[in-house]
Each structure stands twice: as structure tokens, then as C-alpha cells.
Amino acid sequence: MPGTSSTDTLPPLPSLAAQAERLIELGVHELAGISADELRAFADRAGGGDGDALLAVHPDRVPASAVAPLLRHDDKPGFVVADMPDVDLFAPCAVELPDAPLYLVTAPDRGDHMANWSPEEALPALTKQDRTPFLLTEGIHWVLQQPAVLQRNRCFMTIGSRLRKANGTLDARTPAIWISNGTGRDGRERRNAPKVGWCWWGNRHTWLGFASAAGRRHP
């Protein structure tokens, strides 16, 4: 999206080799049932990354609830909001994933220019721009690798993940990642902690953009 990227002021993503080491350090490879050597080999095969590719683990291998606690902000661990016990049921919706345990998400953008848009408004705009919305797990991986992407009043939604109800309709909740104010059920001790929560499909929020990518690939 020429001229609209919100990642221009952020540092580039680490090399894919460095991202692999970060996941190994956090134990994500063990959660996914992948050996450290397999993860390193994938990063090596995929190339350097040029600061524009995110190494992601397929959500079927590592669900959001498993990696959210690995997030850190202000030395506080990430958490999932209490009223989202079904977080792992939010699955890719109108998003095609590579059929592989590891893949790359290319040209991530936080979508600051869409702050104060609703998910309902943002999705068709992203589609028109040939962008694909982030999954929740991809958003978590992004913050794990590039913590600076999560800033107060500059956080993001991940509307590629939706929950389909038993009757076939989509749940009106849409997942997002932001920084807790420590109010309500979050608890005062969680102020400034990374928070996996949700917003309504039709609501707007001034502090939330819409994370998206140019595409996904498995080298």
C-alpha cells in the first residue's frame, strides 16, 4: 500500500535465522512438535527475509492460547481476556494458509491508517488492496519477533481469525492485540501487559488498526 504503510517507522523484522532462534528460545518449536533443527533448516531454506517476512507456525500446531503468555511488554506477560475462553476456536476465515507447519507472512503492516474503522469496513478495503488480514496467531508471532509493533494507542486487530457458530453464522467478536489498562477483570497487576481480546465486528476503535500482509508462502 504505497504511502500508507504504518511499519515505515518500525525497525525491520530480524532475519529469518534470528526469528527461528527466538522461537527456539521461547520453546515454541516444542509446543509445535518441531525440532530445533527443523526450524533452523526452514529458516535457512527460506533465505534471509530482508526484514520483510515473518516466520509463522501454523495455528493447528500452536494455538493462540499457547503463545499469548509468551508476549512481553513492560516486563509483563501476555494474557487472553477472561471472556474469551474459546480463543482457540477462532480459525482462518477467507484466508488460505500453506499446508505446512511453518510458513512466511510477507510485508506485514499494522494498518494504522485504518484506525477508527470497523472490521466490517476494513475487510473489503484490504481485499481491494490485495492485502490479506492477519490471523490472531500471526499477530502474536509478529509481536514476539518485533515487540515495538505493539505500542499504546497503536495496536491492531487480526480479523483473519473468526469463530463460526454451530448454525454456520460468524460470531460478531473479532480478535485483537493491545495493551491492557489494568481495569476491570484484567486486574491492576496487568496494567501495560500485552492483551489478546476482542471487539465487535461493527464497532470502531481509535487505537486499533488492522494488521495485514501481502501474502503467505511456504518456500
Side-chain angles (χ1 to χ4, degrees):
M1 292 179 285
T4 63
S5 174
S6 56
T7 56
D8 291 344
T9 58
L10 294 171
L13 276 160
S15 69
L16 293 176
Q19 291 185 48
E21 293 304 323
R22 173 69 172 151
L23 295 180
I24 292 167
E25 172 193 354
L26 293 170
V28 175
H29 66 301
E30 294 176 338
L31 295 173
I34 300 168
S35 72
D37 287 344
E38 286 178 277
L39 188 48
R40 292 184 177 115
F42 174 85
D44 183 62
R45 184 170 69 252
D50 298 324
D52 201 28
L54 173 68
L55 199 168
V57 180
H58 198 289
D60 285 351
R61 289 296 192 103
V62 181
S65 65
V67 283
L70 302 177
L71 295 170
R72 290 292 183 278
H73 183 269
D74 198 27
D75 292 328
K76 294 183 179 180
F79 68 100
V80 179
V81 293
D83 57 354
M84 205 176 182
D86 50 1
V87 63
D88 293 338
L89 299 180
F90 283 73
C93 182
V95 170
E96 290 188 17
L97 294 187
D99 185 18
L102 302 168
Y103 63 95
L104 300 181
V105 181
T106 58
D109 186 87
R110 194 169 56 190
D112 291 357
H113 63 291
M114 288 182 169
N116 211 31
W117 290 36
S118 70
E120 187 174 22
E121 295 164 331
L123 183 59
L126 290 173
T127 301
K128 187 175 180 180
Q129 295 163 348
D130 292 324
R131 302 282 298 180
T132 178
F134 258 42
L135 304 182
L136 175 56
T137 49
E138 293 168 351
I140 293 172
H141 276 77
W142 195 16
V143 179
L144 288 176
Q145 300 289 358
Q146 196 177 32
V149 78
L150 197 67
Q151 303 169 4
R152 187 166 288 283
N153 299 320
R154 289 290 187 274
C155 301
F156 57 90
M157 300 194 69
T158 55
I159 61 174
S161 295
R162 299 292 304 276
L163 173 63
R164 193 168 293 278
K165 298 190 235 181
N167 63 5
T169 62
L170 290 170
D171 192 284
R173 293 172 296 165
T174 49
I177 305 173
W178 71 93
I179 298 170
S180 174
N181 285 326
T183 57
R185 285 194 285 178
D186 288 3
R188 194 180 310 170
E189 69 281 0
R190 282 177 165 161
R191 178 171 173 78
N192 292 328
K195 172 178 177 175
V196 172
W198 58 270
C199 302
W200 297 118
W201 177 250
N203 285 9
R204 298 171 176 172
H205 297 278
T206 58
W207 73 94
L208 292 173
F210 293 84
S212 69
R216 299 171 180 83
R217 62 185 176 89
H218 178 265

